[in-house]
């Protein structure tokens, strides 16, 4: 016996379709076979498309999850000298027109740059961070900061700019 609604084959004694849940017509009201075949084909096509889309989404998720995400990882790091706030939260509250970029150096090393404008200092800047991966850990260090056309890599200037980013 076949369901009139979706065309699925169901047991003869069924009262409801096990696929779509619709009440099943008695055996005397047997539906037209050509309609059932068409309905069955459409049901199978739709099911195939849905399964195909789900499969593609799953593969994309797997590929994405095995890649490194240095910008997101850096945003989640807490620089202990500046409190318990993550770098991403501090930047969101103090830096305008922010732009993050990551450049892969090798399999475990990335150069991440943050550029933006700090209204408190009335300063456009570009900060560079070395992001390194070791097994399941992420390590980051501020390597240089550029503003007013000059690049600084000394600890005082880097500390000053990081302090300004972390000051709310």
């Amino acid at each position: 016996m076949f369901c009139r609604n979706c065309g699925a084959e169901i047991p003869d004694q069924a009262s409801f379709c096990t696929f779509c849940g619709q009440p099943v017509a008695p055996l005397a009201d047997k539906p037209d076979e050509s309609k059932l075949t068409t309905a069955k084909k459409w049901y199978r096509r739709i099911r195939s498309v849905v399964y195909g889309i789900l499969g593609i989404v799953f593969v994309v998720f797997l590929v994405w999850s095995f890649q490194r995400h240095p910008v997101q990882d850096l945003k989640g790091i807490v620089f202990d000298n500046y409190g318990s706030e993550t770098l991403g939260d501090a930047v969101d509250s103090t830096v305008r027109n922010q732009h993050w970029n990551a450049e892969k150096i090798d399999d475990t090393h990335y150069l991440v740059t943050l550029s933006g404008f700090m209204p408190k200092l009335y300063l456009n800047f570009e900060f560079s961070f070395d992001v390194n991966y070791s097994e399941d850990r992420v390590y980051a260090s501020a390597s240089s900061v550029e503003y007013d056309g000059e690049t600084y890599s000394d600890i005082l200037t880097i500390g000053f700019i990081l302090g300004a980013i972390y000051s709310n």
Side-chain angles (χ1 to χ4, degrees):
M1 175 162 75
F2 296 94
C3 174
R4 283 185 175 190
N5 185 52
C6 70
E9 190 170 355
I10 53 177
D12 289 337
Q13 67 277 11
S15 300
F16 292 91
C17 176
T18 55
F19 293 95
C20 69
Q22 290 294 317
V24 176
L27 280 176
D29 297 345
K30 204 167 191 179
D32 183 13
E33 290 295 324
S34 64
K35 288 181 183 177
L36 284 179
T37 304
T38 305
K40 239 180 168 179
K41 286 178 183 177
W42 277 107
Y43 177 76
R44 286 182 181 155
R45 284 182 186 161
I46 290 171
R47 186 174 59 189
S48 297
V49 168
V50 168
Y51 287 156
I53 291 171
L54 288 174
I56 291 169
V57 167
F58 181 71
V59 168
V60 167
F61 172 76
L62 279 178
V63 168
W64 181 84
S65 66
F66 285 110
Q67 291 180 344
R68 299 189 191 266
H69 305 283
V71 170
Q72 282 76 20
D73 292 339
L74 180 60
K75 285 181 177 183
I77 287 180
V78 174
F79 286 95
D80 294 333
N81 295 344
Y82 300 98
S84 60
E85 189 176 24
T86 65
L87 178 62
D89 289 341
V91 168
D92 286 343
S93 64
T94 58
V95 177
R96 304 294 170 256
N97 302 324
Q98 57 183 274
H99 178 74
W100 296 83
N101 188 37
E103 178 184 337
K104 184 176 183 176
I105 306 300
D106 60 39
D107 287 342
T108 60
H109 183 206
Y110 291 81
L111 179 65
V112 176
T113 57
L114 161 65
S115 58
F117 175 74
M118 279 194 289
K120 285 183 181 180
L121 301 177
Y122 200 73
L123 177 75
N124 284 307
F125 71 95
E126 181 174 289
F127 223 125
S128 296
F129 296 88
D130 285 314
V131 177
N132 292 287
Y133 292 88
S134 176
E135 295 178 15
D136 61 341
R137 298 196 183 263
V138 180
Y139 299 95
S141 60
S143 55
S144 67
V145 64
E146 181 182 322
Y147 64 90
D148 290 337
E150 298 286 330
T151 301
Y152 302 91
S153 56
D154 63 285
I155 200 163
L156 283 171
T157 307
I158 289 172
F160 175 72
I161 301 298
L162 264 178
I165 288 173
Y166 271 94
S167 67
N168 288 334

